[in-house]
Amino acid sequence: MALTDNTEHYGIVTRVFHWGIAVLILWQFLSASAHFFFEDTAVEAFFWPTHKPLGVILLALMVLRLLWYFINRTNRPQSVSLLAKLGHITIYLLIVIIPVVALLRQYGSGRTFELFGITVFPGFEGEKIQWMLDLGSDFHGELGWVLLLLIIGHIFMTYVHQKSSTKQNVLSRMWK
Ligand code: HEM
Ligand code: HEM
């Protein structure tokens, strides 16, 4: 199998991005759900500490994946429909917007933000930056749940295309 995509199949790099990010995002939603449904329990204590670091890692991977998407743009399988294409683009954009909005809120709080012992933001004295706090509080979790619904729809549509009378074998482009 080739590293790069072609018009029939996705190559190794796209597949590693797709399935790697799929597993990591599943964990991200486990931690978000633990925070939402099991606040102040052992379940939250187990999952929640990974939420911010993994969220930042997902953002970095997604930026690389987008670069890869543009490099291969003209040489990859055609989307089955305009709706499928728009759905994939929306998923891409949300996995960038959701962590960016959270990072803005983190910055606006004025608190030091460290990851793996490295200072990402040093924090500052004085007034918090209210618009950054509001942006995060109004959109981060909400867009996160929208992304989860889109992903469930995406998995369901793979099944639908697989079973449809036109037999568009989309899974084989990404899996076999
Ligand atoms: C792709 C990456 C991410 C996804 C899909 C995601 C998803 C979510 C979801 C669905 C919630 C709602 C949980 C609830 O309502 O209790 C949430 C909450 C939260 N997330 Fe994330 N998150 C991501 C990245 C990040 C990052 C990078 C940070 C911090 C730097 C962060 C910080 C928080 C915080 C503090 C909350 C609790 C407050 C709130 O509900 O907004 N997240 N996240
Ligand atoms: C069991 C889980 C999943 C299955 C069976 C699955 C299946 C597929 C298949 C078959 C394709 C190729 C579609 C085509 O060629 O038109 C695809 C593409 C895609 N999938 Fe998934 N997927 C899964 C999980 C996810 C998750 C969790 C995400 C988001 C994080 C995601 C995001 C995407 C995106 C953005 C594309 C467009 C192709 C690209 O540019 O990489 N998928 N998926």
Side-chain angles (χ1 to χ4, degrees):
M1 195 193 299
L3 275 180
T4 49
D5 302 340
N6 62 45
T7 49
E8 297 294 313
H9 291 281
Y10 293 100
I12 293 173
V13 177
T14 302
R15 287 172 192 224
V16 170
F17 272 132
H18 178 267
W19 296 111
I21 288 176
V23 170
L24 295 179
I25 211 116
L26 172 72
W27 187 271
Q28 191 69 354
F29 281 111
L30 285 178
S31 65
S33 303
H35 183 67
F36 187 72
F37 294 110
F38 301 103
E39 211 175 347
D40 298 328
T41 66
V43 178
E44 190 198 34
F46 180 73
F47 285 105
W48 186 245
T50 63
H51 190 82
K52 291 183 185 181
L54 182 56
V56 174
I57 290 171
L58 274 164
L59 173 61
L61 287 175
M62 214 51 210
V63 170
L64 294 176
R65 185 171 170 183
L66 272 169
L67 282 175
W68 184 249
Y69 175 94
F70 282 111
I71 291 169
N72 279 278
R73 199 173 68 247
T74 52
N75 193 27
R76 57 191 351 247
Q78 282 271 320
S79 288
V80 290
S81 64
L82 180 63
L83 206 61
K85 190 175 188 151
L86 290 178
H88 293 156
I89 291 173
T90 311
I91 292 178
Y92 272 123
L93 291 180
L94 282 179
I95 305 178
V96 173
I97 293 169
I98 291 166
V100 164
V101 156
L103 285 170
L104 283 174
R105 173 175 58 190
Q106 187 72 45
Y107 180 79
S109 73
R111 279 178 280 131
T112 309
F113 182 49
E114 286 187 0
L115 280 184
F116 314 111
I118 299 164
T119 304
V120 183
F121 311 132
F124 54 83
E125 300 285 323
E127 289 272 298
K128 296 174 178 181
I129 306 173
Q130 196 57 40
W131 70 266
M132 290 188 178
L133 300 181
D134 292 345
L135 195 70
S137 302
D138 292 344
F139 292 105
H140 177 71
E142 287 69 8
L143 287 179
W145 297 124
V146 169
L147 172 64
L148 179 60
L149 289 180
L150 274 178
I151 290 174
I152 294 170
H154 169 70
I155 297 169
F156 178 69
M157 286 314 289
T158 306
Y159 177 78
V160 169
H161 287 305
Q162 224 42 42
K163 294 280 165 202
S164 74
S165 51
T166 48
K167 282 260 178 284
Q168 305 191 64
N169 200 0
V170 287
L171 198 56
S172 73
R173 302 157 152 196
M174 192 55 103
W175 184 252
K176 280 190 209 145

